[in-house]
Amino acid sequence: QVQLVESGGGLVQPGGSLRLSCAASGRIFSINAMCWYRQAPGKERQLVARIIKAGNTYYADSVTGRFTISRDNAKNTVYLQMNSLKPEDTAVYYCKQVVLTTGYYEYDFWGQGTQVTVSS
């Protein structure tokens, strides 16, 4: 009933930048929270950043000052601007959107994941 499509991953050198996007479509009444997670090989998935409908944001300590999360409510899209990338940022990045559907039920929906590789 709701689909998320991510884009923007790739290979970048240390110190470089990437911008991830995640667009939601389907039976959406409103989107309460939009989040980015990442999962490196052999590690658990961790929350990287979150933005709620009012615009308040949260960042993991490891990305504070380097990553910026933003949202376009009209487009049901969340972005993650990643600057000063480090090799330890290498992971599959997933977006999650907490959606209130047109049936007035709230669900978590996940994107398919996009690979970010930081390497020289």
Side-chain angles (χ1 to χ4, degrees), residues 6 20 36-49 62-63 67 80 82 87-95 110-117:
E6 298 183 31
L20 307 183
W36 287 98
Y37 287 75
R38 68 186 180 187
Q39 187 167 20
K43 295 188 177 180
E44 294 185 354
R45 191 173 297 188
Q46 64 170 173
L47 176 64
V48 174
S62 58
V63 307
F67 291 10
L80 186 68
M82 305 185 292
E88 51 263 43
D89 295 317
T90 296
V92 178
Y93 283 70
Y94 298 90
C95 77
W110 289 85
Q112 79 278 13
T114 186
Q115 177 70 45
V116 171
T117 302

Side-chain angles (χ1 to χ4, degrees), residues 3 11 29 92 104:
Q3 298 79 40
L11 172 65
F29 181 78
V92 178
Y104 300 106

